Amino acid sequence: MKNAMQRAILPALIFTCFSFFSTQAQSTANVTLNVVLQNAASIVINGANNVATLTYAAPADYTNGVSLDQAAALTTISNQPYSVTVYASGELTNGTNTIPVGDVTVTPSLASANTDITLTGVAIPVGTASAANIIVSTAGTASQDFNLNYSTEAAPTADFINKPTGTYTTTLTYTLTNP
């Protein structure tokens, strides 16, 4: 009977030992991770570039026009394709005297290369209804800098002759729009 009992205990002992060494504590927990993307778009005129002054100081300026280059003047950020338009609030005025703002051309250029962007120089239009595209991007950009050039070099000389001296002013509005 002792042998029979030993034969019954031995397999139970082996099973218990095997189970003891092969059993591991295990616990798991799950987390749902969400990343929420929302449209984000921004346009910024950088630093002192919020004023553009074209100065007629010499006789040749009246003959040839003048230009102003502003490096990294405008920065765009958008997670989607976008366009940038420009328009003036009105003509260039000094009291009751005016100069057509369309005599001024604004031309953007890239501060760093980006093949997804098309740039167009335009004579500055008046009013939101006439806003003109100067930048079209077929892809979003994390931070894209643009140089701006303001020029009257192609403007009719007559628009600047026989005008009272002084500062002629208008306000330009640049707008970034996602399609």
Side-chain angles (χ1 to χ4, degrees):
M1 173 113 112
K2 193 175 182 185
N3 282 340
M5 194 170 173
Q6 285 176 341
R7 280 183 271 181
I9 292 177
L10 188 59
L13 184 59
I14 292 172
F15 176 76
T16 301
C17 288
F18 180 72
S19 295
F20 177 77
F21 290 112
S22 68
T23 302
Q24 299 175 357
Q26 184 174 351
S27 178
T28 62
N30 296 322
V31 172
T32 299
L33 173 64
N34 296 313
V35 175
V36 178
L37 299 178
Q38 296 181 343
N39 283 337
S42 172
I43 187 169
V44 176
I45 300 294
N46 298 311
N49 295 313
N50 63 348
V51 175
T53 302
L54 297 171
T55 302
Y56 279 72
D61 297 340
Y62 288 91
T63 304
N64 303 320
V66 295
S67 69
L68 169 69
D69 287 315
Q70 292 182 327
L74 184 139
T75 300
T76 59
I77 299 170
S78 179
N79 68 317
Q80 300 291 322
Y82 62 92
S83 63
V84 174
T85 59
V86 64
Y87 69 90
S89 60
E91 303 296 355
L92 292 158
T93 60
N94 177 0
T96 59
N97 300 292
T98 63
I99 297 172
V101 72
D103 285 352
V104 180
T105 299
V106 61
T107 304
S109 62
L110 289 168
S112 60
N114 187 330
T115 58
D116 295 323
I117 296 175
T118 302
L119 305 169
T120 306
V122 298
I124 299 171
V126 174
T128 58
S130 300
N133 277 332
I134 61 169
I135 300 168
V136 176
S137 179
T138 59
T141 56
S143 182
Q144 181 68 56
D145 289 331
F146 296 90
N147 306 314
L148 295 176
N149 172 272
Y150 298 93
S151 175
T152 60
E153 292 173 352
T157 300
D159 288 348
F160 300 91
I161 303 291
N162 296 316
K163 301 283 182 184
T165 60
T167 302
Y168 290 74
T169 303
T170 191
T171 299
L172 302 183
T173 301
Y174 290 90
T175 304
L176 185 148
T177 305
N178 297 108

